[in-house]
């Protein structure tokens, strides 16, 4: 692999819940997954992050989640398909509008948190999310977990797809992410995180929590904006990838 994207989940701050340093992350990443308001963020904060992304030439992605503000979108919601589709359409519409207001465009969709993890396995909810994307803008790329069910569902429906790996999350031997409820699920050491991503980009593997190597095909790497030390991890990852001769470039071109 000669190039890979670096992305982060941003636009999630509110006055009483500051979780990320968006300005610093936007100087490092090539793609920004911007909250659509259901799980985190405020209209004014989201708009500010979008404006900073446009100014910095960072590709914008929509980051819709379950309507679960209290739990930061990290609790699975057993929602019927029609409601889920409407919720995702609503969020995409809002972000597309705010992005246009600051001179930008949304190029892709990366679902958030529990919704992201659910559609990596659940075909029914995957179909609802894919239907929502197609209804709003079928040219949007879907970014999902490498090996996830939703990527197959989306590709069958005619959407362009891209696969993602996580710099700051531990992996199970089957390629799924270790649940945040388990010890060691979230990684924090910048150099260790960066070294893992160099192996991913150069060898196509990630070391699982049990010590085995898991094959992972990915066009993008995520460093969560709300992880402690996220800016240091993103900086180290970018530096080590570039030192290894790997170009950092967006997987979805700005439109």
């Amino acid at each position: 692999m000669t190039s890979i994207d670096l992305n982060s989940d941003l636009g999630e701050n509110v006055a009483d819940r500051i979780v990320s340093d968006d300005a610093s992350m936007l100087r490092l990443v090539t793609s920004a997954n911007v909250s659509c308001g259901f799980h985190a963020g405020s209209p004014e904060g989201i708009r500010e992050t979008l404006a900073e992304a446009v100014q910095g030439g960072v590709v914008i992605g929509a980051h819709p989640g379950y309507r679960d503000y209290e739990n930061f979108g990290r609790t699975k919601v057993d929602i019927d398909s029609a409601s889920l589709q409407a919720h995702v359409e609503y969020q995409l519409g809002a972000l597309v509008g705010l992005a246009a207001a600051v001179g930008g465009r949304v190029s892709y969709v990366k679902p958030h948190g529990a919704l992201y993890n659910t559609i990596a396995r659940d075909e029914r909810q995957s179909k609802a999310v894919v239907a929502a994307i197609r209804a709003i803008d079928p040219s949007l790329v879907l970014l999902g977990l490498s090996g996830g069910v939703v990527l197959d569902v989306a590709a069958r429906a005619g959407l362009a797809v891209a696969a993602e790996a996580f710099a700051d999350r531990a992996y199970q031997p089957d390629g799924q992410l270790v649940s945040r409820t388990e010890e060691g699920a979230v990684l924090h050491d910048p150099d260790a995180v960066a070294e893992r991503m160099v192996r991913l980009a150069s060898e196509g593997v990630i070391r699982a929590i049990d010590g085995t190597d898991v094959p992972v095909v990915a066009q993008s790497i995520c460093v969560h904006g709300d992880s402690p030390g996220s800016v240091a991890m993103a900086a180290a990852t970018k530096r080590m990838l570039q030192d290894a001769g790997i170009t950092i470039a967006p997987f979805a071109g700005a439109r």
Side-chain angles (χ1 to χ4, degrees):
M1 184 183 296
T2 57
S3 70
I4 198 162
D5 175 62
L6 190 60
N7 77 72
S8 190
D9 303 340
L10 304 173
E12 297 176 329
N13 292 324
V14 291
D16 62 347
R17 191 167 75 177
I18 303 298
V19 298
S20 63
D21 182 351
D22 287 12
S24 293
M25 289 298 282
L26 285 168
R27 289 193 287 269
L28 295 168
V29 299
T30 41
S31 300
N33 321 310
V34 183
S35 172
C36 301
F38 267 27
H39 75 275
S42 65
E44 57 270 31
I46 292 167
R47 190 182 193 280
E48 181 179 352
T49 295
L50 289 168
E52 290 175 348
V54 171
Q55 184 176 12
V58 177
V59 174
I60 295 168
H63 197 41
Y66 288 130
R67 194 169 189 172
D68 178 35
Y69 197 88
E70 294 77 10
N71 300 302
F72 206 72
R74 288 184 173 149
T75 300
K76 182 181 178 181
V77 177
D78 186 14
I79 183 173
D80 66 88
S81 296
S83 295
L84 178 58
Q85 180 176 339
H87 286 195
V88 174
E89 288 170 352
Y90 183 91
Q91 293 176 82
L92 297 183
L95 201 77
V96 166
L98 277 178
V102 297
R105 293 191 67 179
V106 175
S107 295
Y108 67 95
V109 179
K110 173 191 167 180
H112 165 81
L115 177 59
Y116 181 99
N117 292 328
T118 297
I119 61 176
R121 300 183 174 93
D122 186 312
E123 185 167 354
R124 180 186 67 80
Q125 290 204 18
S126 292
K127 287 180 176 178
V129 171
V130 168
I133 296 170
R134 283 177 51 83
I136 296 298
D137 184 351
S139 72
L140 294 171
V141 181
L142 174 68
L143 179 62
L145 184 67
S146 180
V149 168
V150 71
L151 296 182
D152 290 334
V153 171
R156 292 198 302 267
L159 293 181
V161 299
E164 178 180 42
F166 287 85
D168 53 355
R169 291 293 304 277
Y171 276 73
Q172 298 176 3
D174 65 355
Q176 296 288 332
L177 300 179
V178 174
S179 170
R180 285 179 178 270
T181 62
E182 297 185 28
E183 184 178 354
V186 181
L187 310 178
H188 301 290
D189 184 296
D191 288 342
V193 162
E195 288 167 2
R196 283 163 58 87
M197 292 302 98
V198 171
R199 282 201 73 202
L200 165 73
S202 58
E203 301 176 36
V205 297
I206 292 178
R207 183 64 50 86
I209 199 166
D210 67 348
T212 60
D213 284 339
V214 182
V216 175
V217 176
Q219 290 78 52
S220 186
I221 292 170
C222 176
V223 178
H224 285 95
D226 67 309
S227 290
S230 60
V231 173
M233 287 189 287
T237 299
K238 185 173 186 177
R239 182 183 69 252
M240 286 196 190
L241 285 168
Q242 291 174 328
D243 287 348
I246 297 161
T247 301
I248 309 298
F251 69 90
R255 300 183 299 156

